Amino acid sequence: MAFEEKKNQTNPQLLRHIAQVHIEANLASDSFTYFTDGSVDYQRQETGATFKAGNSVNSRRRSNGCSALQTEMLAIQKALEHALAKHQQHVIIHTDSRTAIETLQQEDIHHNIHLITNVISLMQTFKRQGCQVLTNWVPSHVGIIGNDISDKAAKLAT
């Protein structure tokens, strides 16, 4: 979702409405939708990553000391691996991490090279198979049910 204003300067109901419209607009009959999230407890240095697919939620504790971007990317990676194993043709990944989406669009990668190239490689595998992967930003904590579920699950996984 292209949204130019800052999230904290926008009415949460408006954000939720815009996100829901965008989620529905990108739904295709043959698409499979994922909500991903990563969580970092900086006090305990514990992290977790989650993806929600349909009615199932897959959460994993991640290595201590992972950054927020790393946990978000791990969640996206696991969702893509799941979609690949399920032979999905059209995959939509909703994430509340603008940074993860922006990182995947960069030409030069300087940090987290192995992790980011793994995610990009998975996306290219889908493309070679004639499948489409769409990443979509959804705002956090505004009542998007799939995002709220993955957010809670990621926090529990830490």
Side-chain angles (χ1 to χ4, degrees):
M1 165 165 51
F3 199 78
E4 300 303 319
E5 295 183 45
K6 298 217 179 271
K7 180 185 165 207
N8 63 356
Q9 296 174 344
T10 306
N11 179 304
Q13 289 80 16
L14 176 61
L15 281 171
R16 182 177 53 250
H17 174 72
I18 292 169
Q20 288 172 329
V21 167
H22 198 68
I23 288 167
E24 291 172 16
N26 285 302
L27 254 165
S29 61
D30 62 343
S31 67
F32 202 78
T33 301
Y34 292 86
F35 285 87
T36 64
D37 204 1
S39 182
V40 178
D41 182 326
Y42 289 103
Q43 288 182 333
R44 297 183 312 193
Q45 290 296 305
E46 295 176 346
T47 62
T50 296
F51 70 83
K52 179 188 176 312
N55 291 325
S56 68
V57 177
N58 183 310
S59 300
R60 295 197 176 155
R61 172 112 163 55
R62 305 317 308 172
S63 301
N64 289 347
C66 283
S67 69
L69 175 61
Q70 289 168 329
T71 60
E72 296 285 354
M73 290 300 247
L74 285 164
I76 292 169
Q77 178 182 338
K78 293 303 177 188
L80 288 169
E81 289 171 353
H82 181 267
L84 198 57
K86 297 288 185 185
H87 306 287
Q88 300 299 329
Q89 295 297 306
H90 184 90
V91 177
I92 302 170
I93 296 180
H94 300 291
T95 178
D96 60 10
S97 175
R98 284 186 184 182
T99 304
I101 292 172
E102 291 166 358
T103 299
L104 290 171
Q105 296 170 344
Q106 291 178 356
E107 290 188 24
D108 293 326
I109 302 167
H110 302 288
H111 304 287
N112 303 302
I113 295 167
H114 184 70
L115 174 59
I116 295 165
T117 55
N118 280 344
V119 173
I120 292 170
S121 177
L122 286 165
M123 295 174 101
Q124 289 173 343
T125 298
F126 278 97
K127 187 175 181 178
R128 282 192 304 276
Q129 295 175 356
C131 305
Q132 183 180 10
V133 175
L134 171 71
T135 53
N136 178 49
W137 177 75
V138 293
S140 59
H141 311 293
V142 297
I144 302 297
I145 294 171
N147 187 64
D148 289 347
I149 291 169
S150 62
D151 178 65
K152 288 175 187 170
K155 281 182 178 43
L156 286 173
T158 58

